[in-house]
Amino acid sequence: EAGQLKWYRLQDPVAGIWAPDQGKVVGTGWGQFAKVFHGANGVFYGVTYDGALKWYRYINDGGSSYHWHPNSGKVISSGGWGQYHHLIADSGAIYAVDKAGAMWWYRYTDPLNGNGSWANGGQRKQVGSGWNFAAIGNGRLGTIYAVTYSGLLKWYEHLDPTNGAASWDPAS
């Protein structure tokens, strides 16, 4: 149904075996968001239709228990997030790409508990330009994958996801 969040985990990617509880509804009300993106360790961020950013953390204890961190649903930024075409996150670093292709860095200081503040006084830092891609996604902290409109996959490594310096691996 609309607004449901379902849990899936590929248990064995080689054999194509899914975890036993895959497809289970673990949340409702997700239709309130214009965009949803994930961080690490079960962290999700939702951008509301009015541009606010909400923090969530899904916790699976490895058994049949599924629950959300008590701070889930907390507004961590009141507006402006709707301006971004792409959003990705990992370990507090949030990369936002605007419609002009500029990439901006933010860092939320407590991504695991939702009690943080924003590094750099909440001010974004521009860490790149020319990010006009069909899609972007992230691997481990600082690793960003981009897909061109012609279907080419590109790899990038941001060297300073902690402080937001605009430095990239030269092989990127």
Side-chain angles (χ1 to χ4, degrees):
E1 294 190 27
Q4 290 184 335
L5 183 67
K6 295 184 178 184
W7 180 84
Y8 290 89
R9 182 172 61 92
L10 192 56
Q11 192 168 333
D12 184 344
V14 175
I17 299 171
W18 290 89
D21 287 344
Q22 57 96 16
K24 181 177 181 174
V25 175
V26 296
T28 59
W30 290 82
Q32 69 178 300
F33 298 114
K35 296 177 180 117
V36 174
F37 59 106
H38 69 90
N41 301 305
V43 173
F44 289 85
Y45 300 92
V47 178
T48 62
Y49 286 97
D50 64 358
L53 184 65
K54 289 186 173 186
W55 176 93
Y56 293 82
R57 183 167 179 217
Y58 176 71
I59 300 166
N60 178 348
D61 67 3
S64 60
S65 174
Y66 301 90
H67 62 279
W68 292 91
H69 189 284
N71 287 337
S72 290
K74 180 178 180 180
V75 175
I76 59 172
S77 182
S78 60
W81 293 89
Q83 70 180 306
Y84 297 115
H85 186 59
H86 298 292
L87 291 156
I88 59 172
D90 190 5
S91 301
I94 297 177
Y95 297 93
V97 178
D98 65 24
K99 290 175 176 57
M103 179 179 277
W104 302 93
W105 168 92
Y106 297 85
R107 188 168 62 82
Y108 187 64
T109 60
D110 187 12
L112 295 181
N113 295 301
N115 288 320
S117 59
W118 291 95
N120 197 38
Q123 297 299 308
R124 65 186 187 174
K125 290 184 182 181
Q126 187 171 355
V127 293
S129 59
W131 284 84
N132 303 90
F133 292 103
I136 64 169
N138 56 306
R140 64 178 175 77
L141 185 59
T143 302
I144 300 171
Y145 298 97
V147 179
T148 66
Y149 285 97
S150 63
L152 181 65
L153 178 65
K154 296 188 170 202
W155 167 87
Y156 297 89
E157 183 75 28
H158 183 224
L159 298 176
D160 192 11
T162 301
N163 298 306
S167 56
W168 296 86
D169 184 311
S172 294

